Amino acid sequence: MNGKKRAVITGIEGYVPDFILDNEMLSKMVDTTDEWIMTRIGVRERRILKEDGLGTSYMGAIAVQRLLEKTGTKPEEVDMVLCATVTPDMMFPATANIICDKTGIMNAWGFDINAGCSGFIFSFETAASFIESGRSKKMILVTGERMSAITDYSDRTTCPLFGDAAVAMLIEPTEDDGMGLLDSILHVDGVGRHYLFQKSGGSMYPSSVETVQNKEHFVYQDGQTVFKYAVSRMADVSVELMEKHDIKAEDIAYLIPHQANMRIIEATGKRMGLEKEKILINIERFGNTAGTSIPLVMWDFEKKFKKGDILIFSAFGAGFTWGSMYYKWAYDPK
Ligand code: UT7
């Protein structure tokens, strides 16, 4: 014990919609093949929230309810709720508020964080600041995306990528020596705003008949440029974090990378000198769920983790935003 308070994840739960959109179905919607998608991206299927009138808060609230039950937490004990999303239910109010309302969390405050596919690492860093300062003692961090709401299913260059999901994590302080979030290196570079964005619906280009006709409410991505930035930035920042803390590849239990593209994941793992078994991947089953992808992997593989395991989180996304986190898992499988 050294008395320094750190933020730890003390529970994790998630929700994915039942509906599965696989590559065979996609190949009937656009000119593509399972082979192209598997070799260029690595996604076989993704979950889609199909029902009208349901948004990110629907999935996020289910994840939160499951988390409260799993951890034996009463809604009134929660003092903060952060929600990382690029697909909020509405422009305002914040989806964090809506989730609080749906889950009976009445004694908390919170807000949404928009950091593209880096949503988890940016919001976890924010969460940690509140926990370390003592301002929050029991926080829920929700990452949720209904990417299908902003995906153009007639555009073969983007529609194979994305899926929907939400994950909720309980974040608490610990003084257990060395556990929790130990360090982060995070970056933004506004050059990215030209290559990955949803153009309309905000204050610069308010919604109009034209913006809808021009398909400006969907994700626009210059895939090749984003790919080049993602490969170099994710690998560079992860290696920088390892060097800063003298972490060797063999010290790392698992790398949990953002699940955008198998080729980006493999390139990052290779630069870090990691064996394949140490890189956790579920892109094949869920696609790119933006800021939710790292928590979705954590939830998926939770039973693998032992107390003291070194996990490296690494992400890259719209903005551009990117970064890497050095985290020590704080509990054994339950
Ligand atoms: O999560 C946030 C960050 N996002 C990312 O990290 C995504 C980064 N980008 C990527 O993952 C890749 O750029 C994509 C997966 C989006 C695209 O892969 P690519 O290897 O960069 O393909 P490309 O755009 O260079 O296209 C190669 C060819 C083109 O045909 P021509 O011009 O060579 O004839 C495309 O038209 O592949 C064609 N193509 C497709 N063919 C079959 C593009 N999409 C498809 C498709 N099926 N779905």
Side-chain angles (χ1 to χ4, degrees), residues 32 36 40 117 156 221 223-224 258 260-261 263-264 288:
T32 192
W36 192 95
R40 305 307 295 168
C117 296
R156 70 173 183 172
Q221 176 171 250
Q224 282 185 1
H258 169 48
N261 186 313
R263 291 179 291 146
I264 300 174
N288 179 349

Side-chain angles (χ1 to χ4, degrees), residues 156-317:
R156 70 173 183 172
T157 69
T158 51
C159 73
L161 296 166
F162 301 109
D164 302 339
V167 176
M169 287 148 280
L170 190 64
I171 316 281
E172 295 180 276
T174 183
E175 287 180 18
D176 197 350
D177 202 12
M179 297 299 139
L181 182 57
L182 300 177
D183 196 19
S184 313
I185 305 176
L186 306 178
H187 293 283
V188 296
D189 182 349
V191 71
R193 70 198 171 94
H194 303 294
Y195 305 111
L196 180 51
F197 54 82
Q198 178 189 334
K199 183 174 177 184
S200 292
S203 59
M204 193 187 276
Y205 302 106
S207 309
S208 68
V209 172
E210 285 73 30
T211 63
V212 173
Q213 280 168 345
N214 295 337
K215 301 188 167 195
E216 291 170 6
H217 297 268
F218 293 126
V219 175
Y220 167 85
Q221 176 171 250
D222 172 347
Q224 282 185 1
T225 303
V226 177
F227 185 91
K228 282 184 206 140
Y229 273 95
V231 164
S232 63
R233 296 295 190 273
M234 254 173 79
D236 286 350
V237 76
S238 304
V239 170
E240 185 188 341
L241 190 71
M242 288 172 73
E243 286 172 355
K244 183 176 170 191
H245 293 279
D246 197 23
I247 305 167
K248 305 277 174 264
E250 53 271 25
D251 301 330
I252 297 172
Y254 301 105
L255 165 68
I256 308 185
H258 169 48
Q259 311 280 302
N261 186 313
M262 266 303 289
R263 291 179 291 146
I264 300 174
I265 293 171
E266 282 167 1
T268 304
K270 199 168 165 197
R271 274 281 303 285
M272 294 169 72
L274 293 176
E275 297 156 26
K276 278 205 162 90
E277 301 69 47
K278 293 196 167 195
I279 308 169
L280 297 185
I281 300 167
N282 65 9
I283 188 174
E284 188 172 338
R285 287 184 293 133
F286 299 112
N288 179 349
T289 56
T292 297
S293 79
I294 292 174
L296 190 60
V297 171
M298 245 191 286
W299 177 46
D300 215 8
F301 292 97
E302 187 194 1
K303 290 196 171 64
K304 264 176 141 14
F305 307 145
K306 295 185 301 296
K307 185 172 177 181
D309 275 354
I310 292 178
L311 307 181
I312 303 292
F313 308 131
S314 191
F316 182 90

Side-chain angles (χ1 to χ4, degrees), residues 6-9 80-82 111 113 119-137 139-142 169-173 181 325:
R6 293 186 201 280
V8 280
I9 299 165
M80 252 188 108
V81 174
L82 296 183
F111 50 91
I113 291 180
F120 166 67
I121 58 171
F122 277 43
S123 56
F124 191 28
E125 177 77 357
T126 309
S129 307
F130 283 98
I131 294 283
E132 286 166 12
S133 70
R135 285 190 150 84
S136 171
K137 294 186 171 51
M139 178 183 316
I140 289 182
L141 171 57
V142 192
M169 287 148 280
L170 190 64
I171 316 281
E172 295 180 276
L181 182 57
M325 290 185 138

